[in-house]
Amino acid sequence: MRISLNTSKWYDNIWASLIFFTRLPFWRLHEPPKECYRTVVEHWPLTGWLTGGVMAAIIYFGGLIMPHAIAVLIAIAARLLITGALHEDGLTDFFDGFGGGGNNRQRILDIMKDSRTGTYGVVGIVMYLLLLLFALTAMPAKLAALTVLAADPFSKMLAGQIIMMMPYARTEEESKAHVIYRKMNIKAGISLFFQGMLPLLPLILICRNSLRWDLIIFIPGLVMYFLYLFIWRRLRGYTGDCCGAMFLLIELSFYLTMSSQFFNNKTILWTLFS
């Protein structure tokens, strides 16, 4: 009888997620077993605590010594450096693949795997970055910082659901990272939920009487659902690029909803965050 031994520790899956989703040298401190990389989506929102926290700190403290727009730009650049533009690369490939591949499933997959960037990708990523910049600069620095802190993990929590809703569209050998994420069990799903929801608490507590929380939660969820339908109809499965694109577009919808809420409640929110 063959006995299978699991040599991974409780923190290995978290460590694998930090290594996978960032370019910080966590691997120099500890290298988890290879099988742990199948679970990285289960701790994806935790990496959002890191990237969202860094962005929020730069926006808030940077806003004390420089124009708000410059602080936001530096914050966006900092996240790009931390993640190696991993998700933005996925978004660019997503625009190229679905924009240029039509309804041909194999052509969409081939275009997304191509390292060259096409017109759809360039236009899409430029429009995304402009909307991101304008949405965050439309809010006061304190509110923008709290929003980033909440939106990053929350959006990763929503985007992570895609691996439960459809199969992987390629084989493991064909994937860019040579990893297929495993389906989450109940324990992992509950953990993912709390990872994504807890950073919302500061925003809820401070702005509880000033914002439409139904819209702030519902609209990103609606964006997630329609992206799921779109991907399913074209690919009948997801890829890593789809995950990254879904995260960024859900997060952008969160920021646009918040900036719209601020625009319609300027008097109350300026009092809170001026």
Side-chain angles (χ1 to χ4, degrees):
M1 181 175 65
R2 186 174 63 180
I3 300 175
S4 178
L5 297 177
N6 186 352
T7 58
S8 63
K9 305 293 191 299
W10 66 268
Y11 53 81
D12 280 334
N13 292 342
I14 298 174
W15 210 257
S17 187
L18 290 169
I19 293 172
F20 189 86
F21 288 116
T22 76
R23 292 298 177 265
L24 299 176
F26 290 106
W27 54 272
R28 290 183 179 273
L29 302 176
H30 174 63
E31 181 63 50
K34 184 178 179 180
E35 64 266 18
C36 293
Y37 290 93
R38 298 183 183 276
T39 72
V40 293
V41 174
E42 298 173 17
H43 300 94
W44 196 10
L46 277 183
T47 68
W49 291 24
L50 171 63
T51 53
V54 169
M55 283 189 71
I58 292 173
I59 291 171
Y60 177 73
F61 292 108
L64 300 176
I65 59 174
M66 65 183 73
H68 177 44
I70 295 177
V72 169
L73 273 173
I74 294 173
I76 293 171
R79 186 167 78 171
L80 290 172
L81 290 173
I82 291 172
T83 64
L86 176 67
H87 306 109
E88 287 75 13
D89 178 66
L91 182 64
T92 304
D93 289 340
F94 179 85
F95 283 133
D96 270 338
F98 286 91
N103 292 315
N104 188 316
R105 179 181 185 274
Q106 189 56 51
R107 178 161 172 74
I108 292 172
L109 291 172
D110 291 342
I111 292 174
M112 285 199 293
K113 198 170 184 179
D114 193 331
S115 60
R116 293 170 296 182
T117 301
T119 303
Y120 287 104
V122 172
V123 173
I125 195 66
V126 169
M127 290 298 297
Y128 160 77
L129 289 171
L130 286 174
L131 284 170
L132 176 63
L133 175 64
F134 291 153
L136 290 175
T137 53
M139 295 178 273
K142 293 178 184 178
L143 179 59
L146 279 175
T147 301
V148 168
L149 195 64
D152 192 323
F154 177 76
S155 302
K156 285 172 178 170
M157 177 199 73
L158 287 181
Q161 308 303 316
I162 193 174
I163 72 170
M164 301 297 292
M165 301 169 76
M166 62 180 79
Y168 191 70
R170 295 189 175 103
T171 64
E172 186 168 354
E173 291 74 22
E174 292 173 332
S175 69
K176 291 181 180 179
H178 302 292
V179 170
I180 295 180
Y181 312 129
R182 75 177 186 186
K183 300 285 186 180
M184 286 180 273
N185 56 31
I186 294 176
K187 181 180 177 182
I190 293 172
S191 172
L192 188 80
F193 173 79
F194 282 106
Q195 291 170 43
M197 294 301 293
L198 285 177
L200 272 172
L201 290 179
L203 190 62
I204 291 173
L205 291 173
I206 295 173
C207 306
R208 59 186 178 275
N209 297 320
S210 309
L211 298 173
R212 286 281 307 275
W213 290 104
D214 54 341
L215 294 179
I216 292 169
I217 301 297
F218 175 73
I219 290 177
L222 193 64
V223 170
M224 181 267 181
Y225 177 69
F226 279 111
L227 284 172
Y228 153 71
L229 290 179
F230 180 70
I231 294 168
W232 176 249
R233 287 174 182 173
R234 296 287 190 90
L235 288 185
R236 297 290 172 178
Y238 74 91
T239 67
D241 289 332
C242 293
C243 292
M246 182 173 277
F247 155 60
L248 290 180
L249 294 175
I250 292 170
E251 184 191 40
L252 181 61
S253 73
F254 193 110
Y255 296 143
L256 292 174
T257 304
M258 279 295 298
S259 62
S260 175
Q261 290 282 296
F262 173 73
F263 181 79
N264 292 301
N265 296 278
K266 280 185 178 179
T267 303
I268 298 173
L269 290 172
W270 266 118
T271 302
L272 286 172
F273 294 100
S274 60

